[in-house]
Amino acid sequence: MELEASLRLFGGGDLLRERVVQEAREQGIAIVSWAPTSLAALALARSGLEDGFRRPLGQLLDSLPLESLSAVAAHQPTLARLGCQTLGDVRRLPRGGISRRFDKHVLVALDEAYGLRPAAHDWVVLPESFDARLELPGRVDSAASLMFGAHRLLLQMCGWLAARNAGVTAYVLRWCHDAMRARPAGDGGELIIRTAAPTRDISHLARLLAEHLAKVKLLAPVGDIELAALDVVALEEASKSLLPDTVRAGDELGFVLERIAARLGPERVLRPCVAEDHRVEWMQTWQPAEEAKRTRAASRVPRSVDIPQPSWVLAQPLKLAVAQHRPLYQGPLQLVVGPHRVEGGWWHRAASLDERQVAHNVQRDYWVALSQHAGALWVFQERLAHDDISWYLHGVFA
């Protein structure tokens, strides 16, 4: 990595180097080296050295073995017969003889490593899809222990997503059972994690995966795991700043609900969802939070209501007494606005307590009524058989 242009942005060379070393260790990289040139840093890393600035670059590279540079290592047997054991020995050979006996890559690699010519690198081309596999350092018997290796794969996936300016709404973790497993255990298993919104937040994805793995029981020891991104969506950044905003006041509500649903089950975390129904009892339904969010995103057309809507609706309409054809609630009620007819529901059938199918058909005339003691109320009259009429209290206006 070329870091010279980023030193001031990250607080100087020491702080940037510490960050690189820390994040590289999370990726399983054993050693990180730095030097004035990229090939010099690679040669030092292969030789187990870190600091390429403690001595002049030529002195450090001259003492390295031939295997530290790939272009030189390809001709190691021939160079060894010439008495060359280090890069310094190769440099002391006549350049004309090296170019005639070996290919041009030997001199090019040496010049680039020693800083005698600018280094040219090919751009890294990311694959169209992400699918990474990791062999665990040992056999794992519990699903929760898979997080050690899965976190490393999640870091790779989030880096791939960041490079593509995208987020993921679904990814899968697969595991392969050990070859000495029992036959009923099968080859392995998989766990699909879904999010309500596209994200590449490593902490959120890791917490979701940990919550789901806590409920998984492995049928046999696991030796290999695989992580693949299923649904990748272009991610629109909410921040308008040129610099990435890494400071958050707290977790978003959606992230918190997803983690609770992963721990308790999606059927335990519900959200209200507006339904296309003019009957008051069925204007709102409760759905799992993830499904409710997708439903609201799919239908963003605002609803228009042309009848008065109370501030509070009773869970069950309260039947009112009637005197002289007027409803009573803490005294006679004065009908002010109405009637507003609500009728329908013959298509809606649901099982009752005795498991019989009951049609929820309604025929109501709603009124805004005034009570001397209770204030403004929302009442309706329902026509029954034989033209009988019953009055009900259904809501209260604040």
Side-chain angles (χ1 to χ4, degrees):
M1 295 185 295
E2 170 58 46
L3 305 179
E4 184 68 27
S6 304
L7 296 181
R8 182 178 178 184
L9 178 63
F10 290 92
D14 294 338
L15 292 179
L16 180 55
R17 182 167 60 248
E18 291 177 3
R19 178 170 178 178
V20 171
V21 171
Q22 178 183 357
E23 296 186 3
R25 189 177 296 115
E26 294 177 353
Q27 292 282 0
I29 298 175
I31 185 172
V32 177
S33 299
W34 50 93
T37 65
S38 58
L39 279 184
L42 178 61
L44 291 174
R46 288 174 174 171
S47 303
L49 303 177
E50 294 183 351
D51 192 355
F53 293 91
R54 61 181 180 179
R55 286 191 296 168
L57 182 61
Q59 297 181 12
L60 285 174
L61 293 180
D62 284 345
S63 61
L64 298 184
L66 303 180
E67 293 79 7
S68 57
L69 286 180
S70 300
V72 179
H75 305 283
Q76 192 270 342
T78 303
L79 291 172
R81 287 194 292 270
L82 294 176
C84 297
Q85 301 296 328
T86 63
L87 296 181
D89 297 337
V90 179
R91 287 189 68 204
R92 285 187 284 270
L93 295 176
R95 292 179 63 89
I98 295 178
S99 61
R100 288 192 301 269
R101 179 173 295 222
F102 307 107
D103 54 49
K104 64 177 183 179
H105 300 293
V106 175
L107 288 178
V108 170
L110 288 173
D111 291 345
E112 290 183 357
Y114 282 83
L116 302 178
R117 64 183 299 169
H121 298 285
D122 296 330
W123 286 99
V124 176
V125 179
L126 295 176
E128 292 298 323
S129 60
F130 180 84
D131 191 342
R133 192 179 185 90
L134 177 66
E135 182 179 357
L136 300 177
R139 296 298 179 258
V140 176
D141 296 323
S142 64
S145 301
L146 295 178
M147 275 303 302
F148 175 77
H151 190 270
R152 183 178 300 178
L153 296 180
L154 283 174
L155 285 172
Q156 297 179 17
M157 184 181 71
C158 290
W160 178 82
L161 291 171
R164 299 180 66 91
N165 195 27
V168 66
T169 58
Y171 65 96
V172 58
L173 175 69
R174 302 185 182 96
W175 55 86
C176 299
H177 291 153
D178 185 69
M180 302 302 294
R181 65 184 181 275
R183 182 174 297 179
D187 295 333
E190 67 176 27
L191 184 62
I192 298 178
I193 308 298
R194 300 187 182 275
T195 61
T199 181
R200 57 171 180 263
D201 187 344
I202 177 63
S203 59
H204 177 61
L205 295 176
R207 282 195 292 259
L208 274 183
L209 181 58
E211 295 290 353
H212 284 83
L213 284 176
K215 299 183 290 186
V216 174
K217 183 178 180 180
L218 299 179
L219 301 179
V222 173
D224 301 86
I225 59 175
E226 179 184 3
L227 189 74
L230 299 181
D231 298 334
V232 180
V233 183
L235 192 62
E236 298 181 2
E237 295 288 351
S239 175
K240 303 301 182 182
S241 173
L242 294 177
L243 302 179
D245 183 11
T246 58
V247 179
R248 288 185 177 179
D251 285 342
E252 297 181 5
L253 177 60
F255 288 175
V256 176
L257 292 179
E258 284 184 358
R259 293 202 299 271
I260 297 176
R263 178 172 299 183
L264 304 180
E267 69 282 355
R268 301 292 183 89
V269 182
L270 305 178
R271 275 187 174 183
C273 185
V274 177
E276 295 294 335
D277 202 316
H278 52 275
R279 297 170 299 165
V280 179
E281 290 90 334
W282 294 279
M283 283 184 176
Q284 171 184 294
T285 59
W286 290 89
Q287 297 181 3
E290 182 177 344
E291 297 180 8
K293 190 167 184 177
R294 287 199 296 264
T295 302
R296 289 202 306 273
S299 58
R300 297 183 181 273
V301 180
R303 294 171 56 91
S304 59
V305 181
D306 56 356
I307 64 175
Q309 296 290 304
S311 306
W312 183 262
V313 177
L314 302 181
Q316 293 292 336
L318 177 64
K319 190 171 184 179
L320 302 177
V322 179
Q324 298 179 357
H325 303 288
R326 295 181 61 184
L328 303 177
Y329 183 77
Q330 300 181 12
L333 299 180
Q334 179 184 359
L335 304 181
V336 179
V337 181
H340 301 282
R341 172 62 59 91
V342 175
E343 184 175 358
W346 55 267
W347 62 87
H348 184 189
R349 295 183 176 271
S352 60
L353 296 178
D354 55 0
E355 298 183 356
R356 291 187 303 172
Q357 292 293 324
V358 178
H360 294 283
N361 188 25
V362 300
Q363 183 179 353
R364 301 169 179 173
D365 291 330
Y366 280 91
W367 295 79
V368 177
L370 292 180
S371 170
Q372 294 182 355
H373 304 284
L377 306 176
W378 204 43
V379 300
F380 69 84
Q381 60 177 346
E382 185 176 40
R383 188 174 301 278
L384 305 176
H386 308 294
D387 291 336
D388 293 336
I389 295 178
S390 296
W391 285 90
Y392 293 85
L393 172 64
H394 205 176
V396 179
F397 292 89

